[in-house]
Amino acid sequence: MAAKETILVVEDEEKIADVLKSYLEREGFSVSTATDGEEALRLHASLSPVLVLLDLMLPKISGEEVCRKIRARGNTPVIMLTAKAEEASILGGLAIGADDYVTKPFSPRQVVARVHALLRRAGTAQHDELRFDGDWLVIDTTTRTVFREGAAVTLTPSEYSLLVALATHPGRTFTRDELIQLALKDDFEGYDRVIDTHMKNLRQKIEPDAKQPRYLITVHGMGYRFGGGTK
Ligand code: CA
């Protein structure tokens, strides 16, 4: 039998850690738990988990700092667990390299679903390609090349970063501020309408019909989401 895949649960609230552990063990994972940031980093180094569930508010070293350090070590997928009041930190969570987040109170089942989804995504990422609608739109993250109907499309670095930020989270709505933080960072030109300009250009480059976007969907009053299905 193949060795069980280990998931590291970092959570100082014992009840939450126990519930997550039992749900994940039922799914066939081996689960280790850490109750503070120091222990989390120690166990991450010694166990090489396939995924980390990481509470944001932790004793000793904050979840954000733990996430940054894990990210500096490699590509272990990280799902942040955040309390409602900390929602403002979600953006920070994704910007520091978390792959996904779940807001407390959550149903353990929802967390398990996210774990499976992220592991699938991480598995696909080993091929370093995101494919949509068959091969209609392909994003090769190794060479940072985008193909539209098999033909390479020339994108600026900002356009590429925006597209990847959206395409790796299909269906999730991002505000313009989030997109600036996630994708533009140092390149931020000072006002959020810059996102709209990038989106307009991106649509002309990658959409089947820029006037009726299939991938880069405007969410009125909110921002943008990626609409493509991975089939
Ligand atoms: Ca906590």
Side-chain angles (χ1 to χ4, degrees):
M1 222 175 87
K4 281 186 182 178
E5 292 178 315
T6 300
I7 290 183
L8 177 58
V9 173
V10 186
E11 172 60 78
D12 57 323
E13 285 167 72
E14 204 179 323
K15 272 188 196 155
I16 297 179
D18 285 350
V19 169
L20 288 175
K21 184 174 159 72
S22 73
Y23 268 79
L24 289 166
E25 282 177 347
R26 242 178 282 165
E27 296 290 311
F29 294 105
S30 159
V31 179
S32 295
T33 54
T35 53
D36 65 59
E38 270 176 26
E39 194 182 14
L41 287 170
R42 205 164 52 240
L43 289 179
H44 173 259
S46 62
L47 299 172
S48 301
V50 292
L51 185 143
V52 179
L53 285 171
L54 179 59
D55 183 27
L56 202 57
M57 303 288 274
L58 287 170
K60 295 185 185 173
I61 305 176
S62 75
E64 269 158 308
E65 192 53 30
V66 171
C67 185
R68 240 180 247 120
K69 294 207 157 121
I70 287 176
R71 200 40 80 237
R73 289 172 180 174
N75 294 324
T76 315
V78 175
I79 299 178
M80 300 289 272
L81 309 173
T82 74
K84 264 226 154 41
E86 301 162 349
E87 264 177 347
S89 317
I90 287 169
L91 164 55
L94 288 174
I96 57 171
D99 299 277
D100 203 353
Y101 62 85
V102 181
T103 307
K104 293 177 190 173
F106 47 69
S107 81
R109 238 174 254 194
Q110 182 197 356
V111 176
V112 167
R114 294 288 185 88
V115 165
H116 284 302
L118 184 51
L119 286 175
R120 267 199 307 274
R121 220 155 74 205
T124 317
Q126 278 166 13
H127 303 128
D128 299 319
E129 274 180 354
L130 298 160
R131 292 174 178 275
F132 300 96
D133 299 312
D135 289 344
W136 205 93
L137 179 66
V138 178
I139 304 169
D140 182 331
T141 54
T142 308
T143 59
R144 295 171 69 90
T145 316
V146 175
F147 298 90
R148 179 191 188 273
E149 284 190 289
V153 177
T154 308
L155 299 183
T156 67
S158 293
E159 288 167 359
Y160 175 81
S161 300
L162 275 175
L163 179 61
V164 169
L166 287 161
T168 50
H169 301 86
R172 171 164 290 170
T173 298
F174 290 89
T175 65
R176 290 177 178 79
D177 281 347
E178 284 174 321
L179 289 171
I180 287 169
Q181 295 268 350
L182 275 174
L184 302 188
K185 294 176 190 137
D186 306 336
D187 192 33
F188 171 39
E189 290 164 45
Y191 63 110
D192 62 13
R193 293 296 148 183
V194 72
I195 294 286
D196 298 340
T197 308
H198 285 311
M199 286 297 173
K200 190 170 157 240
N201 295 337
L202 258 178
R203 279 176 178 153
Q204 266 150 18
K205 291 178 181 181
I206 69 152
E207 290 284 356
D209 177 356
K211 292 205 171 66
Q212 296 188 324
R214 183 198 293 177
Y215 299 111
L216 304 168
I217 313 290
T218 300
V219 183
H220 290 289
M222 297 281 293
Y224 292 93
R225 71 179 163 79
F226 192 83
T230 35
K231 281 181 202 115

